[in-house]
Amino acid sequence: LLAQAMKAHAPDVIHAHWPYEFAKAALDSGRPVLVTAHDAPITVIRIMLGSRAVLVRIVRIFLAINVMRRARCLTAVAPYVADEITRWLRPRVPFTIVPNGISQSLFLDELPPRARPGLTCMAILSGDFYGLKNGPGLVKAFAWAARRAPGTRLVVYGNGCEATGKAAAWA
């Protein structure tokens, strides 16, 4: 149904942000598709071994293999993601790395704190604050960044992220 809807709307390009079921539907639509990999499927399955979600991840690996063999335009958010997918899933075309938009100067300790720009960080935590998306790790990383870039803000959306939710209580 997704592929039919995409085909019916005939967009110039479809950007599938994960190489799984939605990317497969986009490729099935016959429209031009850019697939962006945001995770490394083999690493994710290693993390999830022993959980109930491991079966879903196994199915997703097979979906990703199908997508990687068919996709003609690929991007990844980090070199390690592209390297792992290339090693294990054998895409037919190389990846272009398009990192998330954070200035590298934020991570250079030799710059004085006042010289670093402030920025707004936004995150969506699907599922539980303490779950796989690692809400406490996000808050700790933000605290580190905020010390180095005064004026930096964190905006978080998702389960438990309301003003009186688990995230605020933990922070």
Side-chain angles (χ1 to χ4, degrees):
L1 292 175
L2 284 171
Q4 290 172 5
M6 291 176 205
K7 188 173 187 173
H9 286 285
D12 293 327
V13 175
I14 299 170
H15 188 178
H17 278 271
W18 298 91
Y20 306 114
E21 60 272 26
F22 299 113
K24 182 182 179 310
L27 290 165
D28 290 347
S29 76
R31 305 301 306 162
V33 178
L34 167 63
V35 177
T36 295
H38 289 270
D39 67 6
I42 304 299
T43 297
V44 171
I45 204 163
R46 285 183 186 137
I47 292 168
M48 298 186 87
L49 283 175
S51 77
R52 285 183 273 175
V54 75
L55 292 176
V56 171
R57 286 299 176 170
I58 290 170
V59 170
R60 282 191 161 178
I61 285 177
F62 286 105
L63 284 166
I65 290 169
N66 177 279
V67 166
M68 289 300 124
R69 302 254 163 95
R70 296 172 57 204
R72 296 293 175 250
C73 295
L74 296 171
T75 61
V77 298
Y80 86 90
V81 172
D83 291 347
E84 180 180 297
I85 291 174
T86 298
R87 179 177 179 196
W88 295 103
L89 306 183
R90 307 279 188 212
R92 292 187 183 195
V93 296
F95 280 91
T96 298
I97 307 300
V98 180
N100 294 322
I102 297 177
S103 170
Q104 292 297 313
S105 67
L106 181 65
F107 301 102
L108 300 175
D109 286 332
E110 65 270 9
L111 290 178
R114 301 264 182 247
R116 294 189 187 99
L119 58 114
T120 298
C121 304
M122 298 183 79
I124 299 171
L125 296 178
S126 59
D128 188 50
F129 176 74
Y130 296 104
L132 183 63
K133 299 299 180 181
N134 192 8
L138 168 67
V139 174
K140 288 177 186 176
F142 169 74
W144 179 89
R147 283 192 300 275
R148 287 160 176 75
T152 298
R153 298 180 330 126
L154 175 64
V155 180
V156 183
Y157 300 93
N159 241 3
C161 296
E162 59 277 0
T164 59
K166 293 177 185 178
W170 188 91

